[in-house]
Amino acid sequence: MRSEPEKFFRSVSALHQSAETIIKKHGGFLHQRLGDGGCCFFGYPDQSEDAAESAVQASLELLGIAASTKKTRTAFRLRIGVATGLVVFSTQGDEIVGTAPVLAARLQAEAEPNSVLVADSTVQLTRHKFDYTLVRKAKLKGFEEPVALWRPQERDRSTSALSSFNEWDRPIRGRERELAALSSAWNSARDGKGSSITVVGEAGIGKSRLIGEFARSLSQTSHETLIFQCGRRLESQPLHPFMSFLERLVAEPSVLKNGESAALMQALQTAGRDVDAAVVDTILSFTSDRSPATSRNIRASDLSGRAFRRKVIEAASDILTCKATGVPTLLVFEDVHWADVMTLELVDRLGSLAGKLPILVVQTSRIRRSLALATEIELSGLASAAVRDLVASVWPERPPPGLSDFILDQCDGMPLYAEELANFFLGRQPLGKASSEWKGLLLEGGVSSLNDLLSARLAATGSARRAAQLASVIGREFNISLLTCLLEGVSRQTVDVAIERLLSQGIIERSSGSRGSFQFRHVLTQEAAYSSLLKSDRRRIHRRIADLLIGEGEPSLPAAIAAWQCAEAGLHDAAAKFALAAAEASVLRSAMHEASVSLELCAREVNSVSQRHPDRTELALGLFELQGVVATALEGEGSERARRVYSRAMQLLKKQSSAARVKHFPVYWGWWFTAPNILTQQSRARILVGDMQAVEDQETRLQSYHCGWATSFHAGEHDFCLDCVAKGLDLYDPERAVRNRAFFGGHDAKVCGLGESALSYLLLNDADASENAIRQCLEWATSTDHAGSMVHALYYAIVLRRCQGRYDDVHALGEQMLSLAERHGLAASQARANMYCGWAELMTSFAERGEERFQHGLLLQQQLGTDDNFSMHSDMHAQVLQRLGKPAEALAIIHNAINVGRNSGQRFWLAELYRLSARLRRDLNDPPSLIRRDLTRAVQIADAQGAAWILARAEWDLGGIG
């Protein structure tokens, strides 16, 4: 009948259409229809990493069509062959050269009805997805060696997921001694005698697994566990792990950025953390956003930055330990070899508190730290028995003979390596390999290292591997929103499926951070995913991430990470800008070590920016400004590094316009401030005043005069000093002063000008002007309610009264200064206050306390290296020694001060030093000629400086010589 052929034709056409739909669904390309058969390709014309998997999956679905036609009169019996290999297409795409199509055709011919046969090359790529049965080996036409014929079967997903879960939940092996040590420390902590433990070992040795096993063992006890993760490339983010903890606590980051104390207090109380309001205020003073312009002018004067850091560390410690009195607390800091310096200080602070609290502080690290308060647990490779036990735990039944010993030889006791090797062989064991062929399997799989094994595990995730690769470029931790943006053209549902697959395979885990965040279970897995990308592909992905970050108003990733992303993308200017932002944020938080990390990256990127780039000069000047601040803070105001930075900056700035000089005035200030001595500083001050004469900005001109009067007084140029004060204070703006007192010297310019003029007027013998100036200085400082300015004014008053020999006033002012300095953590001011109070006490009595107090202050000042009034302090030291009956030692101190003063240019007190030298010589019965010589020099120096008050004192003593 004619209807039967027509019906058959329609059925075949329907089969072809259904087959084409399935093939396209899985990314395949239908190349030919050949009667009741056909040929299709996967991975062409668009490349696909999971082409082999897609081909097998499509084949199994095609068999489903055959099954659905069994109930109809026209039942199909399908035979399908699948092979993988390299093929070459003609330009038109109609001719194909390669063995894979031929082999697939031969397999199709060998297949039973309604079955699929798969070549060994395809099996090797897809065994993670499907279970295979070896049908037989057959001699096929055109192939010399017998070919293995494999039949696929889709794996039960629920069994796979369960197996994966059990794999990562597997108990730890060979760490009984270390677990016992942790348990013992925890039992002591529960009794109120906590401690600090450092777990040290190389990557992959099982540090995190050990801590995880220990933490699980505590699940039946009442306690709190807090885990803080340090991260690579976050060394420049001060207190990053603690900040992440706070962000999770408040849920809304704006609470911390905007300084919302009520909201933070509420969040802490809700979490059961009752702390004082002062603790909250301290934390918010650290977390709140600030103007980046401030950072480039900050000085490390009085070490107030260190005091601020200490307060923040103490506040963070209070937040983390406040529940410990009621609930024993386990504090874990992971990967502290990547910790920022403030986090290390926090860990050390917690360790020092642990002895009196029910807390156990555990840190993991690849490197040792010098820790007096921490007990070290060093993890080495597993013993042979532990490795065999680990391999046996991976295998469903008894491992094949020789496998455990082979793995032991390969892994050198590293548990992660051993576990990955066991899993690798487990995935290949069903393929019929004999135990003598383990090494051949490694060679066949291209495995020669742990990284290769981790790459193989990634490859086994199929299409999810691409998601892992893109995530690795983001970092160890990533959020699904950014990952979805990078996976262009992929639906969110598809991304979710990939994430679930990576989770089930133990590649990633959910992050304890914000919702929708994940992290690689091990950093080595992230590195394996990252290294599996071609360099060009990595750069392209970095570029896409960088473009997203640049386009955001506020980058969704930390500035340090954004800088690294841009640097890897080759966007050197953007990388430098992000690195500067990260450094500025650190400087504003007095985190100078962290800032230096960002500045190192910034320097490399600025050097890579083209000389013709319009922003290069601006970036370089911004870099120099911050480098100068950081070098001054870390190495001292007179450090060679700080001087070198500012000198380079000045060489560049001198070539710029007047507007640029005003904008980068901090460079001038730093260049002046870091001069090696007063002589050089005075020379630079005159240049600075001259260069700023013509600028329109009054504040800039005022600060140039500020430099002028500060140096001129010490140089003994009192007329120039007073001239600078008069011209500078005419430009003074109280409103701008509020902002700039933090920029320049850490004190108010008007307070400084009035104080310097009070001292200059005294030495010029204008007592009334001097008293008027010091009164205004103290009054104005009080009105500012600014600690740095008030301490500065008190110091001027103390020096003035010390010159006048008014001991009681010196003592009273010194106690006032000490109280203020202690309240605000101003270490150098505490040292000065104790020196002057001790001196006053000793000069009015023989009280032992006076000597001790002076020596204590002097020692602290020498340790801090902040003595900018060496001449007068040496004078005081000599007077103390003279009072104690040690005139020879006193004379040595004076002569050293004279030499330093003459060489450095600090000459305002030089005449007085010579006068005191003459008096000490007289006590030591030195020849009158030497005494007369010293006094003559005192007269000459005072006269040259116009210092009439000192001149009169020297002339009086000279006239008394017989």
Side-chain angles (χ1 to χ4, degrees):
M1 294 176 60
R2 290 185 61 190
S3 61
E4 289 300 323
E6 290 175 358
K7 185 175 182 180
F8 178 78
F9 177 76
R10 287 196 299 270
S11 298
V12 171
S13 296
L15 173 64
H16 278 303
Q17 290 175 0
S18 298
E20 185 172 3
T21 300
I22 291 173
I23 291 166
K24 287 184 176 179
K25 169 186 170 184
H26 291 281
F29 166 67
L30 183 59
H31 176 63
Q32 285 180 325
R33 294 184 183 186
L34 303 171
D36 59 353
C39 178
C40 63
F41 298 99
F42 292 80
Y44 172 86
D46 296 322
Q47 292 185 359
S48 172
E49 292 183 348
D50 55 353
E53 178 185 324
S54 299
V56 178
Q57 186 69 56
S59 299
L60 293 174
E61 289 192 25
L62 283 170
L63 291 183
I65 297 178
S68 67
T69 62
K70 287 182 178 179
K71 298 179 181 180
T72 67
R73 294 181 61 187
T74 310
F76 294 111
R77 294 187 299 176
L78 297 183
R79 296 179 175 87
I80 303 172
V82 181
T84 303
L86 181 66
V87 298
V88 178
F89 286 83
S90 66
T91 306
Q92 290 75 25
D94 55 356
E95 293 186 24
I96 308 165
V97 178
T99 59
V102 177
L103 179 56
R106 300 286 185 266
L107 292 172
Q108 183 267 341
E110 294 288 327
E112 297 291 328
N114 295 325
S115 70
V116 181
L117 288 181
V118 178
D120 193 65
S121 57
T122 307
V123 171
Q124 295 295 330
L125 295 171
T126 60
R127 62 166 58 92
H128 65 278
K129 174 71 175 181
F130 306 100
D131 290 326
Y132 286 95
T133 302
L134 180 62
V135 178
R136 67 182 188 278
K137 288 190 176 183
K139 181 70 176 175
L140 302 181
K141 182 180 178 181
F143 294 88
E144 294 182 1
E145 298 294 330
V147 175
L149 309 181
W150 298 95
R151 180 174 294 138
Q153 180 180 349
E154 193 158 12
R155 188 171 293 167
D156 185 345
R157 292 193 179 189
S158 61
T159 303
S160 174
L162 180 63
S163 172
S164 175
F165 174 78
N166 288 336
E167 172 190 332
W168 286 103
D169 226 30
R170 192 180 298 123
I172 195 170
R173 257 66 179 182
R175 300 300 189 196
E176 292 77 16
R177 181 175 59 84
E178 292 83 357
L179 283 170
L182 290 169
S183 297
S184 176
W186 176 249
N187 291 333
S188 296
R190 293 178 64 188
D191 293 335
K193 298 178 181 178
S195 59
S196 179
I197 293 178
T198 302
V199 180
V200 181
E202 62 181 310
I205 204 68
K207 301 183 294 296
S208 296
R209 184 71 73 90
L210 173 68
I211 302 306
E213 182 78 4
F214 169 62
R216 280 192 293 273
S217 72
L218 307 180
S219 59
Q220 302 302 315
T221 65
S222 175
H223 73 288
E224 179 180 48
T225 297
L226 297 177
I227 300 177
F228 303 89
Q229 181 66 58
C230 305
R232 176 183 286 181
R233 303 184 186 94
L234 289 169
E235 301 96 323
S236 61
Q237 300 288 117
L239 281 181
H240 173 73
F242 177 73
M243 291 293 293
S244 297
F245 164 77
L246 284 184
E247 288 170 358
R248 294 193 298 272
L249 206 65
V250 300
E252 182 54 57
S254 61
V255 169
L256 301 174
K257 292 181 179 180
N258 299 335
E260 300 174 19
S261 56
L264 177 55
M265 180 67 82
Q266 180 61 49
L268 290 168
Q269 291 175 347
T270 301
R273 301 184 181 280
D274 293 322
V275 294
D276 294 337
V279 170
V280 171
D281 291 340
T282 298
I283 291 297
L284 291 178
S285 68
F286 181 79
T287 64
S288 299
D289 280 344
R290 311 175 192 186
S291 169
T294 312
S295 63
R296 304 183 185 187
N297 301 273
I298 285 179
R299 263 189 59 208
S301 62
D302 277 339
L303 303 183
S304 54
R306 295 185 190 178
F308 174 66
R309 286 164 62 97
R310 186 172 62 250
K311 285 181 63 178
V312 172
I313 297 299
E314 291 172 353
S317 301
D318 289 344
I319 289 175
L320 296 181
T321 60
C322 62
K323 291 176 65 176
T325 53
V327 182
T329 303
L330 172 64
L331 299 168
V332 180
F333 290 82
E334 289 269 29
D335 296 328
V336 297
H337 48 273
W338 287 323
D340 61 273
V341 174
M342 286 193 74
T343 293
L344 294 178
E345 292 174 1
L346 173 60
V347 174
D348 292 346
R349 165 76 177 171
L350 291 168
S352 68
L353 296 173
K356 298 179 180 180
L357 290 172
I359 65 174
L360 177 60
V361 183
V362 180
Q363 52 185 306
T364 68
S365 177
R366 295 183 188 177
I367 59 175
R368 283 186 171 85
R369 292 178 57 220
S370 178
L371 298 168
L373 297 173
T375 301
E376 184 179 286
I377 295 178
E378 182 179 5
L379 295 187
S380 55
L382 293 178
S384 302
V387 173
R388 293 189 179 94
D389 189 20
L390 189 155
V391 174
S393 72
V394 172
W395 228 257
E397 300 175 359
R398 177 186 289 273
L403 175 63
S404 296
D405 289 335
F406 180 80
I407 290 177
L408 180 61
D409 290 339
Q410 295 290 315
C411 74
D412 196 27
M414 181 180 288
L416 180 62
Y417 201 175
E419 192 168 15
E420 290 296 332
L421 278 169
N423 282 309
F424 175 84
F425 290 126
L426 179 62
R428 284 147 180 80
Q429 175 65 7
L431 304 184
K433 297 289 184 182
S435 58
S436 60
E437 299 177 18
W438 301 122
K439 192 166 187 178
L441 278 173
L442 290 178
L443 292 173
E444 180 184 316
V447 173
S448 61
S449 66
L450 175 58
N451 185 74
D452 294 334
L453 284 168
L454 295 173
S455 297
R457 175 183 279 273
L458 283 166
T461 63
S463 59
R465 179 192 184 210
R466 185 60 177 171
Q469 289 174 320
L470 290 169
S472 74
V473 181
I474 298 172
R476 183 176 181 183
E477 185 173 344
F478 60 93
N479 66 70
I480 201 165
S481 298
L482 179 54
L483 180 60
T484 304
C485 289
L486 295 179
L487 287 164
E488 294 176 315
V490 177
S491 68
R492 175 59 184 267
Q493 183 179 6
T494 303
V495 177
D496 289 339
V497 170
I499 290 294
E500 287 301 320
R501 182 153 203 172
L502 295 172
L503 286 167
S504 68
Q505 293 297 314
I507 304 297
I508 64 173
E509 60 189 358
R510 298 186 188 279
S511 172
S512 59
S514 59
R515 186 177 180 182
S517 291
F518 300 86
Q519 67 179 24
F520 285 87
R521 187 179 290 272
H522 201 289
V523 69
L524 294 179
T525 310
Q526 181 211 348
E527 292 171 354
Y530 188 77
S531 62
S532 68
L533 290 163
L534 293 174
K535 187 175 182 181
S536 59
D537 201 14
R538 285 203 300 264
R539 172 160 285 203
R540 183 177 59 81
I541 300 168
H542 279 299
R543 179 63 182 263
R544 288 171 59 191
I545 297 173
D547 288 341
L548 287 171
L549 294 171
I550 293 169
E552 293 174 342
E554 183 174 340
S556 53
L557 295 178
I561 297 296
W564 174 72
Q565 291 286 354
C566 291
E568 293 300 309
L571 300 176
H572 304 299
D573 56 333
K577 291 173 184 177
F578 278 123
L580 277 178
E584 286 171 340
S586 294
V587 167
L588 290 169
R589 288 161 177 78
S590 299
M592 300 303 181
H593 287 284
E594 292 82 349
S596 66
V597 176
S598 292
L599 292 176
E600 288 176 7
L601 172 60
C602 183
R604 291 195 299 270
E605 295 306 300
V606 169
N607 288 335
S608 298
V609 173
S610 169
Q611 294 285 348
R612 296 187 297 273
H613 194 288
D615 294 337
R616 191 182 194 282
T617 298
E618 187 65 26
L619 288 171
L621 287 170
L623 170 65
F624 285 141
E625 286 173 348
L626 287 177
Q627 283 181 326
V629 170
V630 171
T632 298
L634 295 180
E635 300 181 24
E637 296 166 350
S639 70
E640 183 59 34
R641 182 181 167 203
R643 291 171 184 163
R644 188 167 59 249
V645 167
Y646 282 118
S647 292
R648 289 182 62 194
M650 277 298 294
Q651 291 173 8
L652 181 59
L653 189 56
K654 286 178 180 179
K655 302 174 184 177
Q656 309 309 313
S657 65
S658 176
R661 294 184 184 188
V662 172
K663 182 178 180 180
H664 294 284
F665 181 73
V667 169
Y668 271 95
W669 178 279
W671 179 63
W672 163 79
F673 190 77
T674 58
N677 52 55
I678 299 296
L679 286 172
T680 306
Q681 197 172 55
Q682 176 66 351
S683 173
R684 292 180 179 181
R686 289 184 176 275
I687 293 173
L688 201 158
V689 169
D691 282 2
M692 296 299 143
Q693 284 290 328
V695 304
E696 294 183 4
D697 184 69
Q698 292 190 353
E699 187 68 23
T700 301
R701 284 160 56 202
L702 164 61
Q703 296 303 335
S704 72
Y705 287 124
H706 188 170
C707 297
W709 74 58
T711 308
S712 300
F713 170 78
H714 282 278
E717 298 183 16
H718 301 295
D719 289 336
F720 184 66
C721 171
L722 293 172
D723 184 57
C724 286
V725 170
K727 291 178 179 177
L729 295 190
D730 280 344
L731 302 169
Y732 181 81
D733 181 340
E735 293 184 3
R736 294 189 69 179
V738 172
R739 175 175 175 268
N740 285 301
R741 64 175 62 129
F743 288 11
F744 303 108
H747 55 253
D748 186 89
K750 184 174 180 178
V751 167
C752 185
L754 290 169
E756 294 285 6
S757 62
L759 294 177
S760 281
Y761 279 129
L762 172 70
L763 300 188
L764 294 175
N765 207 24
D766 191 340
D768 291 341
S770 177
E771 291 300 320
N772 184 52
I774 199 62
R775 177 181 54 78
Q776 291 184 56
C777 174
L778 290 167
E779 289 175 353
W780 186 254
T782 302
S783 72
T784 66
D785 194 30
H786 178 249
S789 300
M790 289 189 286
V791 165
H792 205 55
L794 285 169
Y795 184 52
Y796 281 123
I798 290 171
V799 172
L800 184 68
R801 300 311 178 209
R802 177 259 174 272
C803 292
Q804 297 168 332
R806 294 165 57 171
Y807 305 119
D808 291 342
D809 289 344
V810 169
H811 193 272
L813 290 166
E815 294 289 9
Q816 189 179 344
M817 178 179 173
L818 180 63
S819 175
L820 191 60
E822 289 177 341
R823 205 157 58 239
H824 293 277
L826 307 177
S829 292
Q830 292 178 48
R832 290 169 180 164
N834 277 311
M835 283 176 60
Y836 281 88
C837 285
W839 173 81
E841 290 170 6
L842 192 62
M843 295 302 289
T844 54
S845 69
F846 286 93
E848 184 177 325
R849 179 173 179 269
E851 179 193 0
E852 291 179 357
R853 197 169 179 184
F854 177 86
Q855 294 292 352
H856 171 72
L858 179 64
L859 179 62
L860 177 58
Q861 186 172 74
Q862 290 171 345
Q863 291 172 345
L864 298 175
T866 55
D867 190 356
D868 57 359
N869 198 357
F870 182 79
S871 296
M872 183 166 288
H873 296 161
S874 296
D875 181 334
M876 294 164 61
H877 191 188
Q879 290 188 44
V880 168
L881 292 172
Q882 184 182 25
R883 190 80 169 174
L884 294 173
K886 302 176 181 179
E889 293 182 31
L891 186 60
I893 291 291
I894 290 297
H895 285 174
N896 178 64
I898 288 172
N899 289 331
V900 171
R902 292 177 62 180
N903 293 329
S904 69
Q906 191 176 74
R907 296 172 176 171
F908 80 99
W909 204 242
L910 196 55
E912 275 291 290
L913 292 175
Y914 273 113
R915 193 175 73 87
L916 182 55
S917 173
R919 291 197 166 196
L920 288 169
R921 287 186 186 281
R922 185 175 56 196
D923 293 345
L924 291 167
N925 296 316
D926 279 2
S929 60
L930 294 180
I931 298 172
R932 183 176 293 104
R933 186 187 64 184
D934 282 346
L935 290 173
T936 300
R937 287 177 177 171
V939 168
Q940 292 171 343
I941 292 170
D943 186 49
Q945 294 178 5
W949 183 77
I950 295 179
L951 176 62
R953 291 155 65 91
E955 287 178 337
W956 173 268
D957 284 2
L958 183 60
I961 298 176

